[in-house]
Amino acid sequence: MGCIQSIRCKPKSFRDSIIVLEVKTCIDSNPTSIDESSSVVLRYRTPHFRAHAHVLVPPVAGQETWTIGWIQACNHMEFYNTYGNKGMSSWELPDLRDGKIQAISDSDGVNYPWYGNTTETCTIVGPTKKDSKFTVSMNDNFYPSVTWGVPVSDSNVPQLSSIHRDQSFTTWLVAINKATSETLILQTIRWRMRLHINVDPDKPLGQRAVLDEPITQEQPQILGKNEPIPANAMVKPNANDAQVLMWRPKNGVPVVVIPPKY
């Protein structure tokens, strides 16, 4: 699939003098791959979401330090693993699930609020005499492991019957002033990753799982009007630390299998 492109014009104000020359974003066209090599877990790997921005910063006159890069937040998460008539396990973000927050940080957990600090960001330290031109890029995908057996059982008898996942994200290209924390939103992208895997636990290992729709993911949207960044997207905890694994039986009380890390 071809990437969507967006061309931005030079802003008028000096403080907004950062020029986004081009933004490209796409989700790879390959389908989710399924790995049944383990007798304990099923693994799957989704295609990658990718975002690249070419940025031009004119000379910075003062002793200012700006970091330009990607910030991402999760807006919605459904991640259910069904085990026949026994029940389902579910990865959940409680505050997001209960509507207490609109989004949660998807930072790497170290370089808040940034998604990462290698290709994902670039820092300009003023004063500079020449234009600074650079690229910031990021990618994201899912590569989880799901137990064949019921996660609250000592038995590893295969009972997994389906996997459902539907997650939505907002990704921002942002410039932040290190001294003042002034934040300039340069671009906003929305994207979604969905999958459904049907599993027949009675079949031999290697023949159990089949990828259902969608085979190809919806392509990301570059928004014509930028959206503000929710406060929760800028601070701890991130989604990986806040998520909990629940066991929700068909009959009985839900059980926390893996509590949050924070």
Side-chain angles (χ1 to χ4, degrees), residues 79-108:
F79 187 176
Y80 310 133
N81 308 307
T82 303
Y83 293 82
N85 61 3
K86 299 292 185 181
M88 71 175 188
S89 66
S90 176
W91 282 103
E92 301 174 11
L93 295 163
D95 285 352
L96 193 63
R97 176 197 65 203
D98 298 341
K100 294 179 180 178
I101 58 175
Q102 292 182 323
I104 188 166
S105 168
D106 199 29
S107 164
D108 62 1

Side-chain angles (χ1 to χ4, degrees), residues 6 21 49 59 61 64 72 80-81 85 88 113 149 216 224 226 228 243 254:
S6 172
L21 299 172
F49 161 79
E64 297 178 292
Q72 181 163 283
Y80 310 133
N81 308 307
N85 61 3
M88 71 175 188
T216 303
N226 284 318
Q243 66 183 0

Side-chain angles (χ1 to χ4, degrees), residues 5 7-8 11 15 25 31 45 54 74 93-94 102 133 143 159 164 167 184 191 204-205 215 225 227 241 250:
Q5 297 189 15
I7 306 298
R8 301 277 289 179
R15 191 56 75 182
T25 182
R45 188 189 298 270
H54 300 287
C74 177
L93 295 163
Q102 292 182 323
K133 191 175 180 180
Y143 184 41
Q159 297 188 70
H164 165 83
Q167 280 186 251
L184 308 174
W191 64 282
L205 186 66
I215 301 300
K225 183 179 180 181
E227 292 188 349
D241 287 347
K250 282 286 179 84

Side-chain angles (χ1 to χ4, degrees), residues 213-227:
E213 296 290 340
I215 301 300
T216 303
Q217 300 295 326
E218 299 172 30
Q219 287 301 308
Q221 290 181 305
I222 299 175
L223 302 189
K225 183 179 180 181
N226 284 318
E227 292 188 349

Side-chain angles (χ1 to χ4, degrees), residues 3 52 74 142 182 192 229 240 247:
C3 287
H52 306 264
C74 177
F142 309 149
E182 181 180 0
R192 180 183 185 187
I229 305 175
N240 283 343
W247 169 249

Side-chain angles (χ1 to χ4, degrees), residues 144-157:
S145 299
V146 181
T147 58
W148 293 111
V150 173
V152 293
S153 170
D154 292 332
S155 168
N156 196 40
V157 174

Side-chain angles (χ1 to χ4, degrees), residues 85-253:
N85 61 3
K86 299 292 185 181
M88 71 175 188
S89 66
S90 176
W91 282 103
E92 301 174 11
L93 295 163
D95 285 352
L96 193 63
R97 176 197 65 203
D98 298 341
K100 294 179 180 178
I101 58 175
Q102 292 182 323
I104 188 166
S105 168
D106 199 29
S107 164
D108 62 1
V110 178
N111 301 284
Y112 286 94
W114 305 107
Y115 184 76
N117 75 336
T118 52
T119 64
E120 298 87 358
T121 60
C122 182
T123 299
I124 304 296
V125 180
T128 59
K129 295 181 179 180
K130 297 181 179 180
D131 289 352
S132 301
K133 191 175 180 180
F134 54 88
T135 299
V136 284
S137 62
M138 63 164 285
N139 66 77
D140 191 10
N141 79 325
F142 309 149
Y143 184 41
S145 299
V146 181
T147 58
W148 293 111
V150 173
V152 293
S153 170
D154 292 332
S155 168
N156 196 40
V157 174
Q159 297 188 70
L160 179 66
S161 55
S162 71
I163 297 171
H164 165 83
R165 192 160 184 176
D166 186 350
Q167 280 186 251
S168 299
F169 299 87
T170 305
T171 308
W172 294 270
L173 179 65
V174 180
I176 298 179
N177 185 299
K178 184 177 180 181
T180 66
S181 296
E182 181 180 0
T183 301
L184 308 174
I185 300 175
L186 307 172
Q187 195 76 68
T188 308
I189 298 170
R190 282 185 186 165
W191 64 282
R192 180 183 185 187
M193 190 78 77
R194 295 185 299 150
L195 66 89
H196 188 86
I197 296 173
N198 287 312
V199 183
D200 185 345
D202 296 326
K203 286 190 174 180
L205 186 66
Q207 302 175 30
R208 295 172 182 165
V210 176
L211 179 66
D212 203 348
E213 296 290 340
I215 301 300
T216 303
Q217 300 295 326
E218 299 172 30
Q219 287 301 308
Q221 290 181 305
I222 299 175
L223 302 189
K225 183 179 180 181
N226 284 318
E227 292 188 349
I229 305 175
N232 295 89
M234 301 289 285
V235 296
K236 296 179 180 181
N238 69 348
N240 283 343
D241 287 347
Q243 66 183 0
V244 299
L245 180 62
M246 300 293 299
W247 169 249
R248 298 187 176 277
K250 282 286 179 84
N251 300 298
V253 180

